[in-house]
Every structure is written in C-alpha cells, then in structure tokens.
Amino acid sequence: MDYQSILEKIRADVTPLFGQGKVATYIPALASADPYDFAMSLQLVNGESYHIGSCEKTFSIQSISKVFMYEMALSLFEASLIGRVNVEPSGNPFNSLIQLEYEKGIPRNPFINPGAIVIADMLTSHFGNNAYDTILHYFQNCSNNFSIDIDTEIASSELESGYRNYALANLMKSFGNIKNPIDDVLHTYFNACSIRANTVCLARSVLHLANQGIDPITNNTLLCGEHSKRINALMLTCGHYDASGEFAYKIGLPGKSGVGGGIVAIVPDIMSIAVYSPALNHHGNSLIGTKALELFTRYSGHTIF
Ligand code: GLU
C-alpha cells in the first residue's frame, strides 16, 4: 500500500480544519502550542515507517503516558489492581469528580485522571519518590530512544494549576484508595504526563502493542501477550474519555489521546500510528488528529472491525 500518498492526502483533507478547536490552556505551559502544527507517523511491524508534517517536533504526551503507567502496573501488580481501579468506560470527562464520589473513590478505568493517579500511587509505593524516572525509563525502552526526557516546566505548570487533580487525589484518599502523601503521588503523575516526544518516537513507543507485547524490531518482550490484549481493549473502550464510543465508532482502532494534542492508535499485527495537532475538541481530544485517523482508516481500510 502507498502509505506516503495516503498521508499526503490526509494532510490535504485536514488543512481546511485548521483554526477549529482550542489548544489546552488549563495547564498554562501548554497554551503556547501552535494550533497549526500537524504531524503523523506510521510505524510498521516490518520496520518500515512513514511520516508527514512536523514529525521531529516534540510535544507533551500528557495522558498517553497513562498507557505506559498501566503497562508497568499490570506487569508488577496485576492481582492487587482489583478493587483499586476498574476497567469500564467512564462516559465522563477525564477529570470529573462526580462519578468518583458515588463510586466510593474507585476510578472507572486507568485512562482517566483518577485511575492514573491511583496507578501513580501504586508505582510510588513500589519505586519511591523517583517513580517518574522509572516510568520515563520504561517509555524510553518502549520507544528505543534514550534521549527522551521530561519537560520540567510543564510538570511545574501542572503542579501549580492542578486544582482538580488535587481534588481527585484528596477525594480518593478520603476513601482510602491513595496510600502515599498526595504531593508525592501527584509528583509522579505530573512528571509522567510531562514526558516530551515527537510522533516518530510515539508511534515507535506503542509498536509492541501491535505485536502481542513484543517489539518486532528489537525483539524485546515489553509485555506478555495477555497484557497486550488488555491494554488494547482498554484503549478501544476507554482511550478517549467521554468520546471513547465515538472514537471506536468512527475509527475502529484502539487508541489513546492526550490534552497535549497527541493520539496513538494500533492496527494489530500491522502498525502503530501517532498523530499530533494541538487544537482540541470539546472532549479534550485532538480535533484534527481524530479526523486524520478517521481518514486513515477510510483510505487504508485498516480497522479491527
Ligand atoms: N496532565 C493532564 C491532567 O491531568 C492529563 C490530561 C489528559 O491528557 O487528558 O489534566
């Protein structure tokens, strides 16, 4: 298939949409992103890769880090996840407090903020206050790129403006579902969200999820096949907050978005995809990124359904 032509056609098709959507401003350090930026990368399991746009430009991966945190948690403490974080779609915004109150501090899934904060708590218990460093290292390992780093300016900006995340963490602590001091847990969480990467590296970082947990290029086993299946299932059902159903309906691929404007998606056995465009729709997902993925599935015919 001529993937490069498909990428070029997608770029032409999404060009009229620039100017729609809004860059996230609730984290002040994200507000300076250029809403006209666009990049898309395809990483095939056979080693080929295709790119378009500003694919070398790094951005904050934000909630895409939740995938890697949960991968680590599944491998480390599978049984103890029961009762701490569920695996159901939330149907609510990523930072909603309401459901958490009536569900007694147990988050619906690990891909919304409260779920990832519980996972950050578990990783902090296991690795101590430098847990974020271990998460970064895991991400570097997945992407086979050891120069990736955390943007400390974004991490501090999140810390200073993270009122809702503090509220979520405090609420869960009141129900006994956070074990460590709130500041330590959010330190882990905000730093993980502030990893910077470009689409080339992001696509590469989830390639193992298209290949039963094994990186097909290095042959490193990052996850067992069973866990890879579960992560894909969660990406399909919970990867886009309260627009997860719509993403599955229109795109039909497991995926995960972040408010930095990135989205990753998996075509099982064939490739992983990363797209970047920082202007978001009202669900907090990249508006053009979502459209680009929809067009990709239409032009390539790649979908799990
Ligand atoms: N760090 C962001 C927050 O906690 C992540 C949100 C996202 O990307 O969905 O609000």
Side-chain angles (χ1 to χ4, degrees):
M1 197 171 314
D2 186 352
Y3 289 118
Q4 198 60 43
S5 300
I6 290 179
L7 290 179
E8 277 155 24
K9 189 160 161 47
I10 291 169
R11 180 165 59 182
D13 288 358
V14 299
T15 300
L17 301 179
F18 284 106
Q20 293 184 24
K22 286 202 166 64
V23 166
T25 51
Y26 78 100
I27 300 169
L30 293 182
S32 56
D34 176 359
Y36 288 85
D37 248 345
F38 175 73
M40 190 163 183
S41 293
L42 312 178
Q43 176 63 62
L44 276 62
V45 295
N46 69 7
E48 288 170 20
S49 64
Y50 301 87
H51 311 276
I52 198 154
S54 50
C55 61
E56 298 292 339
K57 183 168 178 176
T58 62
F59 55 91
S60 180
I61 71 169
Q62 291 295 316
S63 267
I64 299 171
S65 61
K66 292 175 168 93
V67 173
F68 302 94
M69 289 169 67
Y70 194 63
E71 285 192 13
M72 292 172 73
L74 259 185
S75 299
L76 285 165
F77 6 80
E78 181 169 4
S80 28
L81 286 166
I82 298 166
R84 302 271 324 253
V85 188
N86 291 325
V87 288
E88 294 297 334
S90 71
N92 273 299
F94 63 95
N95 54 9
S96 169
L97 283 145
I98 299 167
Q99 198 166 48
L100 204 53
E101 166 71 11
Y102 64 74
E103 295 190 352
K104 304 202 174 353
I106 313 293
R108 276 287 175 107
N109 68 68
F111 290 172
I112 49 173
N113 288 14
I117 291 170
V118 170
I119 300 300
D121 182 46
M122 296 176 84
L123 294 172
T124 303
S125 295
H126 194 80
F127 293 112
N129 281 351
N130 286 339
Y132 67 88
D133 222 23
T134 315
I135 300 168
L136 173 66
H137 189 70
Y138 182 73
F139 181 79
Q140 291 175 333
N141 219 7
C142 291
S143 50
N144 202 35
N145 180 334
F146 295 88
S147 64
I148 294 163
D149 214 344
I150 288 170
D151 186 324
T152 49
E153 194 199 323
I154 292 179
S156 321
S157 182
E158 288 216 55
L159 187 72
E160 281 157 24
S161 58
Y163 310 111
R164 266 190 173 265
N165 288 321
Y166 271 95
L168 290 165
N170 275 295
L171 184 58
M172 291 191 288
K173 192 151 180 90
S174 78
F175 284 108
N177 200 17
I178 294 289
K179 312 295 178 196
N180 293 286
I182 301 285
D183 284 334
D184 296 354
V185 175
L186 290 178
H187 182 66
T188 301
Y189 172 76
F190 290 141
N191 274 288
C193 288
S194 301
I195 293 172
R196 280 191 91 90
N198 57 30
T199 56
V200 177
C201 151
L202 255 187
R204 182 75 175 78
S205 70
V206 288
L207 183 62
H208 61 286
L209 293 171
N211 192 49
Q212 292 86 40
I214 300 168
D215 183 318
I217 299 173
T218 60
N219 266 330
N220 279 345
T221 300
L222 294 155
L223 276 183
C224 68
E226 183 70 18
H227 289 174
S228 178
K229 177 191 80 180
R230 292 188 191 166
I231 299 281
N232 274 283
L234 274 175
M235 287 169 89
L236 183 72
T237 54
C238 309
H240 291 79
Y241 323 120
D242 47 342
S244 297
E246 190 180 334
F247 189 86
Y249 182 74
K250 290 192 172 157
I251 288 132
L253 293 176
K256 180 74 197 89
S257 70
V259 295
I263 305 180
V264 293
I266 307 297
V267 185
D269 302 325
I270 300 179
M271 69 169 75
S272 52
I273 309 171
V275 60
Y276 171 63
S277 170
L280 308 178
N281 61 24
H282 62 277
H283 296 291
N285 300 313
S286 170
L287 189 145
I288 288 179
T290 305
K291 189 67 194 172
L293 285 166
E294 185 185 343
L295 293 169
F296 179 76
T297 55
R298 187 175 308 154
Y299 297 150
S300 66
H302 290 326
T303 162
I304 63 168
F305 298 109

